[in-house]
Amino acid sequence: QIMHPDFNQTETDWQYAEFFKGLKSLYELSNEEIYLNEIFSYGRFYSWSPAADALNADRLAIIPVWTWLYSIYQLPEILTNSQWILNIHVSRNYKYATNVKYMNNPYNKEWWSWSDALYSAAPSFVQMWSQTKNYSYLEYADEQWWKTSDYLYSKKDSLFYKDDRFFPENSKDNKKIFLSTSNGRVLSALAEILSIIPKDFHNRLQYEFQFKEMAAKLLSLQNKNGLWNLV
């Protein structure tokens, strides 16, 4: 992918954010400069700007990669555009205006109305808090996480629905439908959040409980090949 990049989507959207998150982890494991340089060059080429339509959670997925780079280089321009976008989210009347319903909601992409949005968006705010210590970012992530969780998380099943379109749906063998990709992403986001938020954060135990609950459920569903096929 580095030698022959294939960009058939918006270059800073979530698809490539996942790739660069992988490069970040690879650099941390290998300490090979080629991966760090690739991430830096990519961000600089796109002026450290997430994709347009910035209220959509998927457009925020690249921000944790750039906040991580900022922790290394300490260049203000790395954070400027990302902070501007996150500030738009935070400045809205989100405590009262949030609507996480997906069906028949013309503004569904402006809120975390699908569970993958927790993976794309929540770490962006938590990581930005870790670099700036602006508590409003952490407060926003926490508030929005639990609104979406309260709506889409099935406590009976310890799994997230993709969105409310799946509430009434059943598979051919008359079982509920939970998407493996969505739940894997939520679990990944929980791991990232727990690695950052303070030990004394007021909702930390709640995040820990959800992480353990989901991990145990996914382990019980895992096949011998290491995959979990939930549908």
Side-chain angles (χ1 to χ4, degrees):
Q1 179 67 13
I2 291 175
M3 299 304 296
H4 305 284
D6 179 15
F7 291 116
N8 56 13
Q9 304 286 338
T10 303
E11 290 84 345
T12 53
D13 210 350
W14 67 270
Q15 296 93 338
Y16 303 108
E18 292 196 353
F19 171 67
F20 284 100
K21 280 186 175 183
L23 280 191
K24 166 186 172 294
S25 297
L26 191 55
Y27 168 73
E28 291 174 324
L29 286 170
S30 68
N31 205 35
E32 293 186 31
E33 293 292 322
I34 184 176
Y35 305 123
L36 180 64
N37 293 339
E38 180 69 13
I39 300 170
F40 186 88
S41 298
Y42 170 79
R44 184 171 57 185
F45 183 81
Y46 290 103
S47 302
W48 312 104
S49 295
D53 185 21
L55 289 179
N56 186 323
D58 284 343
R59 312 300 181 255
L60 309 181
I62 192 65
I63 291 177
V65 179
W66 291 341
T67 53
W68 170 77
L69 275 180
Y70 174 80
S71 71
I72 297 173
Y73 292 103
Q74 296 293 305
L75 297 174
E77 60 266 28
I78 293 177
L79 293 188
T80 300
N81 292 327
S82 295
Q83 273 193 281
W84 182 79
I85 287 171
L86 296 189
N87 288 345
I88 294 173
H89 289 254
V90 171
S91 65
R92 294 186 297 168
N93 190 21
Y94 67 90
K95 292 189 177 182
Y96 303 99
T98 300
N99 181 359
V100 294
K101 293 182 179 180
Y102 195 95
M103 291 182 64
N104 303 317
N105 179 8
Y107 306 104
N108 55 23
K109 294 298 184 181
E110 295 186 9
W111 306 104
W112 302 355
S113 59
W114 68 106
S115 54
D116 304 68
L118 298 175
Y119 166 82
S120 295
S124 303
F125 290 90
V126 176
Q127 290 277 15
M128 189 64 74
W129 166 81
S130 73
Q131 296 303 318
T132 66
K133 300 308 177 187
N134 183 336
Y135 190 75
S136 65
Y137 297 130
L138 186 55
E139 184 180 40
Y140 181 88
D142 182 60
E143 176 102 6
Q144 301 305 89
W145 181 283
W146 295 113
K147 285 177 180 176
T148 298
S149 180
D150 288 344
Y151 189 56
L152 295 180
Y153 186 60
S154 171
K155 293 182 179 179
K156 180 179 179 180
D157 301 284
S158 301
L159 295 168
F160 275 83
Y161 288 98
K162 167 78 171 184
D163 55 61
D164 59 17
R165 294 174 297 177
F166 290 84
F167 287 172
E169 295 291 333
N170 288 296
S171 61
K172 292 180 180 179
D173 52 359
N174 203 34
K175 293 182 179 180
K176 299 175 184 177
I177 296 177
F178 300 101
L179 300 191
S180 55
T181 51
S182 299
N183 281 277
R185 286 176 178 139
V186 173
L187 195 66
S188 174
L190 281 167
E192 186 170 357
I193 289 169
L194 285 168
S195 72
I196 299 169
I197 61 175
K199 297 293 185 183
D200 60 352
F201 184 67
H202 68 281
N203 272 337
R204 183 180 176 89
L205 290 179
Q206 196 171 347
Y207 287 103
E208 290 179 357
F209 182 81
Q210 189 171 68
F211 177 85
K212 292 175 182 178
E213 197 171 54
M214 290 187 68
K217 180 66 175 185
L218 291 175
L219 184 61
S220 74
L221 297 169
Q222 195 171 33
N223 297 326
K224 291 182 179 180
N225 62 8
L227 303 177
W228 55 81
N229 306 102
L230 305 184
V231 179

